[in-house]
């Protein structure tokens, strides 16, 4: 199960997921086989370590969010791919959503046989980056802003044509799915290292000293203190590998005062006070 937005002020999920929102702004990722390693050179500002993903295992993470009901979001990460070029199958760096009749799929992956990487939302909006080099750190940001999507490589728009597209849909979608990092539900896993995976429930602009793609990229150096407004998830990959990867986000990102959380496992409802407390709602 994953936390799900029903509308602008209504959430649903489990008791544990609500408590985790209060504690650290999200819950930890579940790890399946990814391992901590000494980070490949070139991104020392983000720490000594990274986590390595093996396509043959495959190793992957699952996180307790479902973006299929978010009108806007930003996904940011650093990747050091072992073989970005010449793949014979799609390598999904992240994927969220149910395929089939809903086709509510949001992912960023190495497109099969095309030599480029693709960010798509549903079947209508797709953007591309033409090349990502092997054995080199690269920063990728995927942004959905209502009906519009964009992808940025190393802080700049594009790398392919087009680098922006419309038709993603601005409202909640009918469908849901597990959010995977490192593969999709059917496999097609990545081979390489990840460092600092960020998730925002807002569309960050490309430029700006704060709260922007530029502020995360930091001239190619990265930053251990990324923008915190609307930050849901910050996985820095500096902890030892275990069954869980700790979310470093320390406060919940701007939950509106009066947000209601429906606990599906307890059948209880809680209202957020706008600061730090969930108050249980009772009938009079």
């Amino acid at each position: 199960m994953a936390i799900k937005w029903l509308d602008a002020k209504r959430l649903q999920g489990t008791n544990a997921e609500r408590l985790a929102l209060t504690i650290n702004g999200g819950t930890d990722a579940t790890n399946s086989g990814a391992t901590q390693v000494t980070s490949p050179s070139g991104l020392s500002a983000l720490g000594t370590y990274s986590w390595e993903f093996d396509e043959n295992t495959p190793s992957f993470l699952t996180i307790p969010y479902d973006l299929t009901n978010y009108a806007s979001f930003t996904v940011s990460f650093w990747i050091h791919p072992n073989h970005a070029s010449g793949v014979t199958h799609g390598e999904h760096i992240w994927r969220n959503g149910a395929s089939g009749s809903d086709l509510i799929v949001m992912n960023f992956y190495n497109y099969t046989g095309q030599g480029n990487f693709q960010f798509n939302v549903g079947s209508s909006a797709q953007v591309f980056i033409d090349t990502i080099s092997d054995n080199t750190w690269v920063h990728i940001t995927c942004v959905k802003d209502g009906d519009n999507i964009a992808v940025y490589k190393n802080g700049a728009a594009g790398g392919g044509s087009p680098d922006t597209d419309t038709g993603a849909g601005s409202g909640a979608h009918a469908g849901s799915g597990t959010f995977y990092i490192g593969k999709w539900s059917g496999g097609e896993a990545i081979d390489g290292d990840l460092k600092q995976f960020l998730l925002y429930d807002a569309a960050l602009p490309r430029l700006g000293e704060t709260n922007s793609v530029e502020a995360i990229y930091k001239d190619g150096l990265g930053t251990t203190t990324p923008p915190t407004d609307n930050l849901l998830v910050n996985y820095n990959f500096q902890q030892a590998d275990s069954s869980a990867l700790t979310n470093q986000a320390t406060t919940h990102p701007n939950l509106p005062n009066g947000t209601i959380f429906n606990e599906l496992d307890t059948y209880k409802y809680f209202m957020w006070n706008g600061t730090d407390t969930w108050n249980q709602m009772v009938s009079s």
Side-chain angles (χ1 to χ4, degrees), residues 58-61 91-95 180-190:
S59 48
F60 61 94
L61 304 171
E91 293 183 345
H92 290 257
I93 297 173
W94 67 270
R95 178 180 172 112
Y180 293 101
I181 299 175
K183 70 157 202 169
W184 80 304
S185 57
E188 298 187 355
I190 63 171

Side-chain angles (χ1 to χ4, degrees), residues 80-86 110 132-137:
H80 188 278
N82 289 339
H83 51 76
S85 58
N110 203 346
I132 291 180
S133 300
D134 298 347
N135 303 311
T136 300
W137 283 110

Side-chain angles (χ1 to χ4, degrees), residues 75-191:
V75 175
S76 163
F77 57 91
W78 291 86
I79 184 169
H80 188 278
N82 289 339
H83 51 76
S85 58
V87 297
T88 58
H89 63 283
E91 293 183 345
H92 290 257
I93 297 173
W94 67 270
R95 178 180 172 112
N96 176 212
S99 51
S101 58
D102 290 326
L103 200 62
I104 306 304
V105 176
M106 306 176 185
N107 55 19
F108 186 76
Y109 72 114
N110 203 346
Y111 192 63
T112 307
Q114 301 300 308
N116 58 32
F117 281 70
Q118 174 179 335
F119 169 42
N120 72 280
V121 177
S123 57
S124 301
Q126 300 173 335
V127 288
F128 297 88
I129 289 177
D130 283 344
T131 57
I132 291 180
S133 300
D134 298 347
N135 303 311
T136 300
W137 283 110
V138 61
H139 181 244
I140 301 295
T141 311
C142 304
V143 179
K144 179 177 183 289
D145 185 3
D147 289 341
N148 305 304
I149 65 173
V151 63
Y152 304 99
K153 171 186 173 184
N154 290 336
S161 178
D163 57 24
T164 60
D165 200 4
T166 59
S170 58
H173 297 289
S176 62
T178 303
F179 195 129
Y180 293 101
I181 299 175
K183 70 157 202 169
W184 80 304
S185 57
E188 298 187 355
I190 63 171
D191 200 76

Side-chain angles (χ1 to χ4, degrees), residues 145-280:
D145 185 3
D147 289 341
N148 305 304
I149 65 173
V151 63
Y152 304 99
K153 171 186 173 184
N154 290 336
S161 178
D163 57 24
T164 60
D165 200 4
T166 59
S170 58
H173 297 289
S176 62
T178 303
F179 195 129
Y180 293 101
I181 299 175
K183 70 157 202 169
W184 80 304
S185 57
E188 298 187 355
I190 63 171
D191 200 76
D193 291 58
L194 287 177
K195 216 168 186 177
Q196 195 186 70
F197 190 100
L198 306 173
L199 170 61
Y200 294 84
D201 64 350
L204 298 189
R206 183 172 74 89
L207 299 177
E209 293 184 4
T210 61
N211 302 319
S212 67
V213 176
E214 181 182 33
I216 298 171
Y217 180 60
K218 209 74 172 179
D219 296 323
L221 300 175
T223 175
T224 56
T225 56
T228 57
D229 285 357
N230 299 99
L231 179 63
L232 290 173
V233 162
N234 177 4
Y235 299 134
N236 65 14
F237 296 99
Q238 295 308 294
Q239 72 181 82
D241 55 83
S242 64
S243 60
L245 177 61
T246 302
N247 182 7
Q248 303 296 322
T250 55
T251 58
H252 194 277
N254 303 330
L255 266 182
N257 184 22
T259 296
I260 295 172
F261 194 105
N262 173 17
E263 286 188 357
L264 299 177
D265 54 342
T266 67
Y267 305 102
K268 295 178 181 178
Y269 289 82
F270 295 81
M271 181 176 288
W272 183 246
N273 71 350
T275 307
D276 57 7
T277 304
W278 290 102
N279 296 308
Q280 184 175 348

Side-chain angles (χ1 to χ4, degrees), residues 38-80:
T38 300
S39 178
S41 63
L43 200 58
S44 59
L46 291 183
T48 303
Y49 304 106
S50 56
W51 278 26
E52 186 175 55
F53 292 75
D54 182 355
E55 66 177 346
N56 296 312
T57 307
S59 48
F60 61 94
L61 304 171
T62 54
I63 72 173
Y65 281 93
D66 186 353
L67 296 182
T68 60
N69 285 281
Y70 283 63
S72 300
F73 65 79
T74 300
V75 175
S76 163
F77 57 91
W78 291 86
I79 184 169
H80 188 278

